[in-house]
Amino acid sequence: MPEQAEKITVALSSIPNTGKTTLFNRLTGAGQNTGNWPGVSVEKKIGNFPLGEYEISLVDLPGAYALSPVTEEEKIVRSYFLKTPPAVILNIVDAGNLYRSLGMTLQMSTSGLPMVVAVNMIDEKSKLDIALLSSHLGVPVIPISARSGRGLPELKQALYEVINKSERTHVPHISCPPILEKAARELSGKIIPGGPLEKMDSNFLAMRLLEEKTPSDAILKTGLGNFIQLWRDRIEKSTGETIPITCAKCRFNAARGLVIEVTGQKSNPPNKQTERIDRVLLHRWFGLPLFLLIMFLLFQAVYGLGAPLQTYVGQGFDVAESWLRLQSSIARQSDWMQSFLFDGLWQGLGVVISFFPIIALFFIFMSLIEASGYMARAAFLMDNLMHRLDLDGKAFINLLLGYGCNVPAIMGTRILSSHHSRVVTILLIPFTICTARLQVFVFLSTILFSTAVAPLILFALYLGSFIVIVLTGFLLKILHIGGRPEPFIMEIPPYRMPTLTNVALRTWQELKDFLYRAAPLIIAGVVLVWFLTHFPANVPAAGAETWAGRLGHLFSPLFHPLGIHWQETVALLFGLIAKEIVVGAMAVIYGGDLSNQVFQHISPLQGLSFMVFTLFYTPCVATIAAIKAESGSWKITLFSLILGLVIAWLASLVLYQTGLVLGFR
Amino acid sequence: MKQTKEHFKQNPGVECIIQSLGADEKTAQRLAQMGVLPGVTLQILRIAPFGATVEVSVGGGQSFALRKDELTALNCRIVAMPLTCPDLHPEIAYRIRSLSGGKKFQQRMETQGIHPGLFIKITNTTMPGIVLQLIDQKKTVTLGRGEAEKIIIEVIDA
């Protein structure tokens, strides 16, 4: 029977911070698929659940305040409604703050599409006249608690009934200035909605065209461009403001009246508990030290716990490898086949698996911070510093966590509030010193420098990383990479207890995502490096005769001015797999006792130049894969790759040549 | 002159009514679609550590963070402010709107004759304390900054 079930698309839509994710998780459980909306770094989630004889496909739309978009997320929501209208809209509103929620609810309810409104009673005490709200909106309204699951059977029942009887009986009318109403009336008479838009109210479509002519008209193909523009000009001249603002005023006038009727109150009592917590956490003097303490604990929790786990996983992998090598079916294979299996595929798999512990820990703690409401506070505290780079304050957390590992830090950018912030942060994270890079620096600086100088070298590298992040941030700002920043008006939600289900599902999703979206690219990258360093056949691996060695020689005119020999160029190539193996690769390439070899072949200045290059060029294939998966764009991925190489080359060049001029060697 | 005025507006405890949505179209649209519209009352809750970012609550419910420039663009009309606000005019009479401290604080103020609804004038702010003239009772009271911070006064429309 499940195969024959009719598939019904329901769109879950609301403004941010209403408990939408909790409801989505409640309804669909673990049966979710995530991806990106086409062309943008905004997450798309779809979950399925059975409802009577139907199979519901629930689309989790990004949080949006209105259908005339300001943000990237809202553009997605608008296009979704106009291009592929769902069979039913499921809207969730926050009972504790009805006024804020109702603007969007009213706008969606005028669409004429079948709709169900779930009132999330986050605060159990709120008293609402549900029946009155329902009759005003012209759609069923069901009180629920997304957190406890109360009211969900009734919500499903209401959904079921709306699917069976999809004609709306009443579409609310929001009164607007007469000239706007007249324009909408005239325009709606000329639109003949066809295809998927048939069920939509023509007045609603007319409003879409008036509020935001350019893309809406392209989607609706009315051919009424000039007619619409004429009315728009007349209306804006008469009201003295843009149409979306006029419409928002009308909606919120209606919402204000509705709230008073439904709750009997004019405004919400302030949240006492949140006020008390914020008096400490956002304190004028203690706020920042507390934030830094929380960040320190976060960093420790993710990497302090994650690093040993990573080691265990690595050891397990080695044990499995030695066992596999003994298996007769594998031992029978030719040498190069075995090399391909173990040094290529198996190592690639090992790189993928090694990220699991830190990604899991990262998202467990990040979801706790996000769901509790502290993330918005962190952004508030750091806003002024990050604003100088046109970033929001949350980006600070991602950059900071990049100093542990770039991969989860980049995956975590989806927490950021705007497309612009996400792209810029993704491009900046690769310039942090992750723990793998740190290993290379510690190793080389202890060999090449005295114990007194080595720590200073490390400090200088951290400083260099920081300076490059700030300078690149300004560069990206000037170049407008990632588009224009969106207006910064951030909601600061009340503190809430995170739910275990949300945290667990989130972490599970991220691991699954990493496996599906990043892992193939990582393994492909590792195999490519294996190929370059092991072929042509019958030459010593990683030697001068391999493709990698030849590449090293080929690029030597480029690397010579940096004081980097072809052997190290090959090591840098290996470094693409993971920075942890750079040192090991040098051991293979130089042969013999590595410390001695390094000491003989590389001067301190050359070593420093090599470290600077290592600091700024591409962190590893896993980072590239994460950038591709997160940005959903090859253009951004390629840009990041080139940006890293160019900055690494320039920084090393300036350092090495200045050093030579100053008489160092 | 303008600077002191803005400074005065963006003090924690200040309550004001939005009069415009500012010139930046995108920001104005964002605010409007969040229900932050002319006529709505804003209360300034706190200023972020490096300044420039302000947390406000709208209509007593939702809190938002926005930047000082954006707040300035809202051209708010002040309706109430704490006694510690700089450049309160010494000659003007104000009315006490509320006492934001706890019960003990309110009782202590009551014993000094300070309670909501009272008309006052500020006579001296240069001293470490703030000297209040209680107009109806024809006496003066000296308050510490910590106390004055919790007393919200409102402008009396002439």
Side-chain angles (χ1 to χ4, degrees):
Chain A
M1 192 187 118
E3 287 119 290
Q4 274 128 39
E6 190 187 341
K7 212 161 191 161
I8 303 282
T9 306
V10 176
L12 179 60
S13 180
S14 81
I15 63 166
N17 297 316
T18 49
K20 182 166 67 70
T21 309
T22 312
L23 178 63
F24 183 79
N25 287 342
R26 274 267 168 209
L27 287 172
T28 63
Q32 307 175 3
N33 289 308
T34 54
N36 275 14
W37 291 91
V40 285
S41 62
V42 178
E43 188 176 33
K44 179 182 190 176
K45 280 200 293 187
I46 297 177
N48 297 305
F49 65 95
L51 183 65
E53 68 268 34
Y54 303 113
E55 173 76 9
I56 303 295
S57 166
L58 190 66
V59 182
D60 184 16
L61 290 173
Y65 288 103
L67 289 171
S68 37
V70 175
T71 64
E72 205 68 39
E73 281 82 354
E74 287 165 345
K75 282 182 194 153
I76 292 168
V77 174
R78 174 257 283 139
S79 301
Y80 176 83
F81 275 112
L82 292 186
K83 284 181 185 161
T84 52
V88 181
I89 303 171
L90 175 54
N91 172 234
I92 175 164
V93 302
D94 173 6
N97 211 329
L98 213 50
Y99 168 74
R100 191 175 66 100
S101 303
L102 280 178
M104 180 68 167
T105 306
L106 281 167
Q107 197 172 32
M108 285 191 297
S109 78
T110 56
S111 72
L113 288 175
M115 177 162 154
V116 176
V117 173
V119 180
N120 195 10
M121 306 293 220
I122 293 165
D123 178 9
E124 310 274 326
K125 285 169 291 187
S126 21
K127 288 228 176 333
L128 300 178
D129 191 337
I130 298 289
L132 189 66
L133 186 58
S134 169
S135 84
H136 272 292
L137 294 174
V139 300
V141 177
I142 312 293
I144 63 157
S145 164
R147 174 180 290 267
S148 73
R150 197 166 42 86
L152 282 197
E154 292 83 353
L155 181 65
K156 284 186 173 178
Q157 182 59 33
L159 262 181
Y160 182 77
E161 282 165 18
V162 165
I163 291 168
N164 276 336
K165 177 188 88 66
S166 59
E167 280 307 311
R168 282 273 295 269
T169 46
H170 162 67
V171 175
H173 179 79
I174 296 166
S175 59
C176 294
I179 182 163
L180 187 54
E181 297 220 5
K182 186 157 182 264
R185 249 195 330 271
E186 288 214 0
L187 192 55
S188 66
K190 291 183 192 268
I191 311 172
I192 307 125
L197 295 172
E198 211 175 11
K199 272 192 181 161
M200 283 209 185
D201 190 77
S202 54
N203 201 60
F204 169 81
L205 292 176
M207 289 306 272
R208 296 274 62 67
L209 289 165
L210 286 167
E211 276 198 41
E212 196 210 10
K213 184 196 137 210
T214 319
S216 295
D217 196 33
I219 295 168
L220 296 174
K221 297 192 187 72
T222 58
L224 296 171
N226 292 335
F227 182 75
I228 298 166
Q229 193 54 47
L230 228 61
W231 271 111
R232 283 170 60 90
D233 294 342
R234 276 185 65 186
I235 295 163
E236 288 186 356
K237 209 172 153 201
S238 129
T239 58
E241 59 200 7
T242 62
I243 300 176
I245 292 179
T246 310
C247 289
K249 282 183 179 170
C250 306
R251 286 199 302 278
F252 280 103
N253 275 338
R256 192 173 295 120
L258 204 49
V259 170
I260 297 174
E261 265 191 79
V262 172
T263 63
Q265 292 175 309
K266 260 193 90 173
S267 68
N268 294 302
N271 189 323
K272 282 255 158 62
Q273 200 183 359
T274 292
E275 256 174 41
R276 264 201 299 273
I277 301 174
D278 272 344
R279 223 170 281 162
V280 180
L281 288 182
L282 294 184
H283 187 273
R284 222 178 300 170
W285 308 115
F286 308 136
L288 261 185
L290 280 171
F291 166 70
L292 293 175
L293 178 72
I294 291 171
M295 284 305 108
F296 174 76
L297 292 176
L298 174 72
F299 199 92
Q300 287 303 317
V302 175
Y303 301 113
L305 290 176
L309 280 175
Q310 228 171 349
T311 315
Y312 292 139
V313 171
Q315 284 166 352
F317 232 68
D318 289 345
V319 172
E321 182 182 334
S322 12
W323 180 81
L324 277 174
R325 276 186 191 276
L326 294 175
Q327 299 312 298
S328 56
S329 55
I330 291 174
R332 248 187 279 127
Q333 305 292 331
S334 63
D335 278 354
W336 82 262
M337 188 63 189
Q338 284 194 37
S339 173
F340 167 73
L341 285 176
F342 289 107
D343 302 330
L345 272 186
W346 184 256
Q347 188 171 26
L349 201 61
V351 170
V352 171
I353 302 289
S354 73
F355 281 107
F356 273 47
I358 37 172
I359 290 176
L361 286 165
F362 179 92
F363 280 101
I364 289 172
F365 289 106
M366 280 299 253
S367 349
L368 285 177
I369 287 191
E370 193 190 12
S372 65
Y374 187 69
M375 190 71 89
R377 270 87 186 168
F380 174 70
L381 290 169
M382 294 307 294
D383 179 64
N384 193 24
L385 286 186
M386 302 307 284
H387 176 42
R388 288 155 206 243
L389 300 178
D390 269 352
L391 283 171
D392 73 40
K394 295 176 192 174
F396 178 83
I397 301 177
N398 291 79
L399 282 169
L400 184 79
L401 288 163
Y403 281 89
C405 177
N406 287 192
V407 173
I410 286 169
M411 291 170 73
T413 53
R414 104 181 34 167
I415 286 158
L416 302 180
S417 356
S418 76
H419 175 73
H420 166 266
S421 264
R422 278 191 289 272
V423 171
V424 173
T425 312
I426 282 174
L427 290 173
L428 292 181
I429 286 173
F431 299 116
T432 56
I433 297 181
C434 66
T435 46
R437 276 171 168 162
L438 187 61
Q439 282 179 29
V440 180
F441 302 156
V442 168
F443 178 80
L444 285 179
S445 56
T446 41
I447 293 177
L448 296 171
F449 298 94
S450 68
T451 40
V453 179
L456 291 178
I457 298 287
L458 285 183
F459 177 75
L461 287 168
Y462 274 102
L463 196 65
S465 153
F466 180 73
I467 291 171
V468 164
I469 287 176
V470 173
L471 291 181
T472 313
F474 279 117
L475 181 77
L476 297 177
K477 182 177 167 176
I478 295 165
L479 295 178
H480 292 303
I481 301 286
R484 298 250 168 198
E486 287 163 3
F488 171 82
I489 291 145
M490 179 181 66
E491 271 192 51
I492 300 190
Y495 285 106
R496 273 168 205 154
M497 203 58 171
T499 69
L500 194 63
T501 334
N502 281 2
V503 172
L505 272 175
R506 176 75 195 257
T507 308
W508 171 239
Q509 277 308 335
E510 297 291 346
L511 285 175
K512 227 169 67 178
D513 250 34
F514 177 72
L515 196 60
Y516 287 143
R517 294 204 274 165
L521 201 55
I522 293 174
I523 295 176
V526 174
V527 169
L528 178 70
V529 174
W530 168 82
F531 175 78
L532 289 176
T533 48
H534 288 74
F535 277 82
N538 308 325
V539 301
E545 301 301 310
T546 59
W547 296 117
R550 289 181 204 182
L551 275 178
H553 282 294
L554 182 71
F555 284 123
S556 67
L558 267 180
F559 282 95
H560 184 72
L562 315 183
I564 295 175
H565 314 306
W566 73 264
Q567 291 97 327
E568 292 138 57
T569 314
V570 177
L572 288 172
L573 192 65
F574 269 109
L576 285 179
I577 298 180
K579 288 287 164 293
E580 285 95 337
I581 67 172
V582 167
V583 174
M586 284 170 89
V588 174
I589 300 161
Y590 280 116
D593 175 42
L594 183 58
S595 303
N596 248 327
Q597 292 286 337
V598 166
F599 198 72
Q600 279 175 19
H601 284 94
I602 305 174
S603 75
L605 184 60
Q606 288 172 341
L608 200 56
S609 170
F610 179 76
M611 285 192 263
V612 167
F613 197 91
T614 307
L615 167 55
F616 296 127
Y617 90 112
T618 328
C620 57
V621 278
T623 305
I624 301 174
I627 293 175
K628 168 67 182 65
E630 214 44 60
S631 66
S633 148
W634 278 113
K635 225 161 78 186
I636 290 171
T637 313
L638 202 66
F639 181 75
S640 163
L641 206 71
I642 293 169
L643 186 71
L645 286 170
V646 168
I647 288 180
W649 191 81
L650 285 176
S652 293
L653 180 78
V654 169
L655 177 96
Y656 187 65
Q657 294 300 330
T658 317
L660 285 181
V661 168
L662 294 179
F664 291 101
R665 67 164 292 279
Chain B
M1 195 57 204
K2 190 172 173 269
Q3 263 182 340
T4 48
K5 202 178 155 216
E6 289 318 322
H7 186 52
F8 166 81
K9 269 185 189 176
Q10 298 174 346
N11 245 283
V14 165
E15 263 176 54
C16 55
I17 295 173
I18 299 173
Q19 290 189 304
S20 121
L21 289 179
D24 184 68
E25 219 170 86
K26 260 191 162 184
T27 307
Q29 187 172 336
R30 168 71 327 148
L31 287 166
Q33 290 173 343
M34 283 174 139
V36 183
L37 292 158
V40 168
T41 307
L42 279 188
Q43 191 186 6
I44 296 178
L45 295 180
R46 55 178 65 79
I47 317 277
F50 301 103
T53 317
V54 188
E55 184 185 353
V56 299
S57 83
V58 179
Q62 183 60 44
S63 296
F64 297 98
L66 44 91
R67 303 211 171 105
K68 276 192 173 170
D69 303 346
E70 290 160 348
L71 185 59
T72 307
L74 300 182
N75 192 22
C76 291
R77 184 165 59 83
I78 294 185
V79 289
M81 69 219 97
L83 253 183
T84 45
C85 247
D87 66 19
L88 286 177
H89 274 280
E91 299 87 39
I92 297 177
Y94 298 98
R95 183 167 43 213
I96 294 180
R97 184 188 180 101
S98 61
L99 304 176
S100 65
K103 237 186 203 139
K104 269 193 181 158
F105 172 74
Q106 296 191 355
Q107 280 167 1
R108 200 169 70 228
M109 289 297 110
E110 189 65 46
T111 57
Q112 301 205 50
I114 294 173
H115 53 81
L118 195 70
F119 290 94
I120 53 148
K121 263 186 191 176
I122 299 154
T123 52
N124 191 346
T125 56
T126 47
M127 274 177 27
I130 287 170
V131 183
L132 283 190
Q133 187 193 346
L134 312 186
I135 295 174
D136 298 342
Q137 298 168 22
K138 301 208 168 54
K139 68 170 190 176
T140 56
V141 177
T142 310
L143 296 170
R145 272 200 88 77
E147 293 174 319
E149 218 168 39
K150 295 180 191 161
I151 299 174
I152 310 291
I153 55 172
E154 59 193 358
V155 186
I156 309 160
D157 289 324

